Amino acid sequence: VSLVGSIIWEQPQGQLAFAGSECFMELFLPSLSRTIFKVKAKRSCGILRASMVPGSGMLLHRQLVQERVNAVGYLFNPRLYLYGEELDLCIWAQRVGSPGVIALESIVYHPLKEQNTAKIARMQYYLARNLMLVVSIHYPAHIRCAFYVWHIIFRCLLAIRFCMAGKFEISMSIIRGLKDGLGLLNGFAPRRSI
């Protein structure tokens, strides 16, 4: 095993926040995939095979790190600031025959932090942008096309939801993330980031 992740518990409630996922499902139906893995984690012991492991508490075998750096020139893609870098690594590791596992006895405790509008806006910007980049790197044209259509529709509906709730900054961050993601796919650098 070359890639090991921990489960993530949110504090102070002590609820399981993340216990792995499948990379492909993480792109299209992340909530469903994460829920399935949470149920598996609660019913299992030892390790749980998962192609997507969280970046928090991630252990990497030295050989995998060397292979990655030799193959692409970096461990974590510098274009994927803040969100998507571990997904990118996990998809690559799966492709080269090193899928991950979750060590169920390894726990990372994340304090439950209050999310202010600026933090949510930044997160939504980078999710909208970076998932497009991850897909462009790893998947063939037919999957990229399906994902882009799905992603753009989903993110626009999410932006509408935030707008209707009066959270215009978050809504505009999603739209900017989509615009910048499409621009990066076409070789244009974004004018500014969040």
Side-chain angles (χ1 to χ4, degrees):
V1 176
S2 299
L3 182 62
V4 180
S6 303
I7 61 173
I8 298 175
W9 282 84
E10 286 183 345
Q11 293 296 342
Q13 296 98 329
Q15 61 184 352
L16 182 58
F18 189 81
S21 186
E22 286 298 328
C23 291
F24 191 75
M25 291 269 299
E26 188 69 18
L27 295 169
F28 288 95
L29 298 168
S31 295
L32 176 61
S33 183
R34 291 173 181 202
T35 299
I36 290 168
F37 273 82
K38 286 179 194 177
V39 170
K40 286 181 182 180
K42 289 177 181 176
R43 295 180 179 170
S44 303
C45 60
I47 63 167
L48 180 62
R49 293 214 172 273
S51 61
M52 168 64 184
V53 302
S56 300
M58 182 187 282
L59 298 173
L60 303 168
H61 194 281
R62 181 182 309 162
Q63 183 178 348
L64 182 72
V65 172
Q66 289 171 340
E67 283 180 44
R68 170 75 169 183
V69 171
N70 290 340
V72 297
Y74 49 77
L75 178 60
F76 293 111
N77 188 333
R79 293 173 65 190
L80 298 174
Y81 172 77
L82 208 55
Y83 290 97
E85 66 280 0
E86 74 270 38
L87 179 60
D88 173 59
L89 176 62
C90 290
I91 293 170
W92 178 86
Q94 183 179 18
R95 201 173 66 226
V96 298
S98 296
V101 297
I102 301 292
L104 297 173
E105 309 235 350
S106 174
I107 302 169
V108 172
Y109 292 100
H110 277 196
L112 192 59
K113 296 178 183 171
E114 185 177 318
Q115 294 289 326
N116 63 38
T117 299
K119 285 182 182 180
I120 295 169
R122 186 175 59 217
M123 177 185 73
Q124 290 297 332
Y125 169 84
Y126 283 111
L127 283 171
R129 186 190 86 149
N130 291 357
L131 291 178
M132 296 176 82
L133 294 174
V134 169
V135 169
S136 74
I137 293 167
H138 294 288
Y139 290 102
H142 67 285
I143 292 175
R144 286 195 313 262
C145 183
F147 176 77
Y148 297 153
V149 169
W150 159 253
H151 186 64
I152 290 168
I153 291 170
F154 172 76
R155 293 289 163 187
C156 285
L157 290 172
L158 190 60
I160 290 168
R161 185 175 134 217
F162 279 115
C163 189
M164 291 175 67
K167 298 179 178 180
F168 306 111
E169 181 182 347
I170 298 170
S171 181
M172 290 309 299
S173 290
I174 294 169
I175 300 304
R176 278 195 301 273
L178 289 172
K179 181 183 78 63
D180 289 350
L182 288 168
L184 286 169
L185 295 178
N186 291 308
F188 299 106
R191 291 184 186 198
R192 63 185 174 96
S193 60
I194 299 292

